[in-house]
Amino acid sequence: FGERPVLEPLDLDLEAGSIVSVIGPSGCGKTTLLRMLAGLETPDAGTVHLGGATPDEARRAKQVAVVPQQPGLLPWRTVEANARLLLDVGRSASPSGSTSPADPVALLHEVGLGDVLDHHPHQLSGGMQQRVALVRALALHAPLLLLDEPFAALDEITRAEMRYLLARMVEGRGATVVLVTHSISEAVALGDRVLVLSPRPGRLVADIHVDLPRPRTAGIDDDPRFVERCSQVRRALHEAGGLS
């Protein structure tokens, strides 16, 4: 990448308990932003604070959970064992300052996987694998949940199902959620805010508040306010040069 920055300076405050969608063209720095929030990359300038802690401190204290693009399940572990993975790793790092971890088995039942607890990843569909990845992250009960295009590899029907499953799973749990996505409808359907980034170097070109009622269900797609917010995001992307 040479010396060209990935992201322009960003000045953001994320409200605790909110769901924030981040959208922009490929290469604009969305994943880099998420990795900085997770403490996996250090910004060249500026600071990131998560409830008074640095991202690295928060990650080591199990205050941050990440759902990546690919489920990343361990093939030799069962569904239940994969869902428990983050709880099993670094047991000494209790999630200080947050509530107790959730029961992975209960969460697996909640996402419809209660009858495949002893299956292995190769026995699951892509959507089922991503449900396990979601449960693995939610089981930490961390105050910050980061999702990096978690449904990008799924077909459209499964993706729509997962969108509203995610909404149901995170609403009411008190976590702050940051979702990176390429889907305008997904960003609006899930977010309280949609942050629109320009092409690289990414800069914030729009911060759109989504005034849609919760809980969000599939019926929200027909709400005129949903259609208008999608159009607003699309216009912001077009004006920033993120859409042809």
Side-chain angles (χ1 to χ4, degrees):
F1 295 119
E3 297 181 356
R4 187 184 184 197
V6 177
L7 282 168
E8 295 281 357
L10 293 174
D11 186 6
L12 289 174
D13 287 311
L14 304 183
E15 182 180 351
S18 65
I19 302 176
V20 180
S21 300
V22 182
I23 192 169
S26 296
C28 73
K30 300 186 297 299
T31 294
T32 298
L33 175 62
L34 217 64
R35 288 179 60 83
M36 288 192 292
L37 292 175
L40 300 174
E41 288 193 27
T42 303
D44 295 328
T47 57
V48 180
H49 293 288
L50 304 178
T54 67
D56 186 59
E57 291 169 339
R59 178 173 50 83
R60 286 188 278 109
K62 295 192 174 183
Q63 298 289 291
V64 182
V66 180
V67 180
Q69 293 182 27
Q70 299 297 327
L73 305 182
L74 299 181
W76 60 87
R77 291 177 71 109
T78 64
V79 165
E80 181 179 349
N82 267 291
R84 292 185 182 279
L85 181 62
L86 297 182
L87 301 178
D88 292 342
V89 174
R91 289 176 181 269
S92 61
S94 60
S96 58
S98 68
T99 53
S100 300
D103 178 8
V105 173
L107 290 172
L108 288 168
H109 279 278
E110 192 171 344
V111 300
L113 297 178
D115 58 346
V116 295
L117 299 181
D118 60 349
H119 284 41
H120 288 80
H122 74 274
Q123 297 174 281
L124 307 179
S125 67
M128 294 169 76
Q129 290 187 31
Q130 200 64 356
R131 291 184 190 208
V132 178
L134 177 60
V135 167
R136 181 181 59 197
L138 290 174
L140 277 184
H141 221 163
L144 178 61
L145 177 63
L146 306 175
L147 303 106
D148 187 8
E149 299 187 59
F151 312 137
L154 304 179
D155 65 82
E156 188 61 32
I157 294 175
T158 304
R159 183 170 185 154
E161 292 174 351
M162 290 295 297
R163 174 191 304 173
Y164 295 107
L165 172 66
L166 174 63
R168 178 167 58 84
M169 294 295 291
V170 301
E171 286 175 5
R173 295 186 189 274
T176 303
V177 179
V178 182
L179 167 72
V180 163
T181 179
H182 274 109
S183 168
I184 293 174
S185 59
E186 193 167 273
V188 173
L190 291 170
D192 298 306
R193 294 164 67 185
V194 180
L195 306 181
V196 182
L197 300 183
S198 71
R200 183 178 178 176
R203 58 185 174 82
L204 183 64
V205 296
D207 184 351
I208 299 169
H209 289 257
V210 181
D211 53 346
L212 293 170
R214 294 196 180 275
R216 305 270 174 90
T217 62
I220 207 75
D221 295 35
D222 298 322
D223 190 309
R225 290 170 294 181
F226 173 85
V227 176
E228 172 54 31
R229 290 296 167 269
C230 287
S231 296
Q232 192 175 355
V233 172
R234 190 174 293 106
R235 287 195 298 270
L237 284 167
H238 180 75
E239 291 168 4
L243 286 178
S244 57

